Amino acid sequence: MLYDDELARLRPLLAAEAAAEAVPGGIEAADLEQAVWLRLLELPGSTPPSDTAAWLRAAVRAEARRAARRVRREVRYPPGRDPVAEHGRTAEEAALDAERLRAVRAAVRRLPGRCPQLVIALMSHSDPTYREISMELGISQGSLGPMRSRCLGCLRSMLVPEVASHVRRGKAR
């Protein structure tokens, strides 16, 4: 690990490099400094690089590039715009919904027989009709209803331990 005197020697260099690479409206110099110190602490075996000053310069530039990519991907809302009110849910609720959907999709993949294909077809965004599903899967249209019922019952029993439902709906066989 680096000694205190070496850290004291590197602080001004890091501050200067971070200030030079900081982008107004993007990443601040203090954030760059913090990210580089963290990278230094995360080095394998906590051994300092042989040329710490060169490593520090390269690390600041790498963190600045990473931050620039992140800033380009982020969507900034104009002042006064409330994204929660527009979408009707918070980021936490959206994350929980996404996690539930991942659990359901994972359970669908574990269904037996032709059930995964049927349930995936039923969950499709294109909202296919029974006729389209029967043609796609090669199953008679009349057997889709009973098969759907069995598959959803099986899926429901698989999801009970994963996604606890406080309301019981329908019949499970």
Side-chain angles (χ1 to χ4, degrees):
M1 193 64 202
L2 294 174
Y3 296 102
D4 288 337
D5 57 334
E6 192 169 3
L7 290 176
R9 184 180 63 81
L10 291 175
R11 271 196 188 99
L13 174 62
L14 177 58
E17 289 291 328
E21 292 292 331
V23 178
I27 186 162
E28 298 176 12
D31 292 337
L32 275 175
E33 286 183 53
Q34 186 177 23
V36 172
W37 284 126
L38 184 60
R39 271 183 135 197
L40 187 61
L41 289 173
E42 291 174 339
L43 285 175
S46 296
T47 57
S50 57
D51 185 1
T52 350
W55 179 90
L56 196 92
R57 287 183 191 100
V60 168
R61 287 183 183 93
E63 286 299 327
R65 284 191 306 272
R66 183 178 293 133
R69 283 191 305 268
R70 186 176 53 245
V71 166
R72 282 192 303 267
R73 286 191 312 259
E74 291 175 349
V75 176
R76 296 195 184 274
Y77 289 107
R81 183 173 169 198
D82 185 7
V84 173
E86 289 178 16
H87 299 293
R89 59 187 184 159
T90 64
E92 181 181 4
E93 291 168 337
L96 290 173
D97 288 345
E99 182 60 34
R100 285 186 203 105
L101 186 58
R102 277 192 291 276
V104 168
R105 286 185 175 151
V108 166
R109 287 190 298 270
R110 293 190 316 260
L111 285 171
R114 300 183 83 180
C115 285
Q117 297 165 326
L118 176 62
V119 174
I120 288 170
L122 291 169
M123 290 173 61
S124 171
H125 290 293
S126 64
D127 197 25
T129 63
Y130 265 28
R131 175 177 284 170
E132 293 168 340
I133 294 173
S134 69
M135 288 173 37
E136 181 183 327
L137 300 179
I139 301 171
S140 72
Q141 190 173 341
S143 63
L144 281 181
M147 185 176 177
R148 176 187 141 267
S149 180
R150 285 191 303 275
C151 293
L152 292 179
C154 185
L155 182 63
R156 190 176 297 116
S157 66
M158 290 171 71
L159 287 175
V160 167
E162 295 177 24
V163 183
S165 174
H166 61 282
V167 178
R168 185 178 171 102
R169 297 184 199 140
K171 294 181 182 178
R173 294 182 191 179

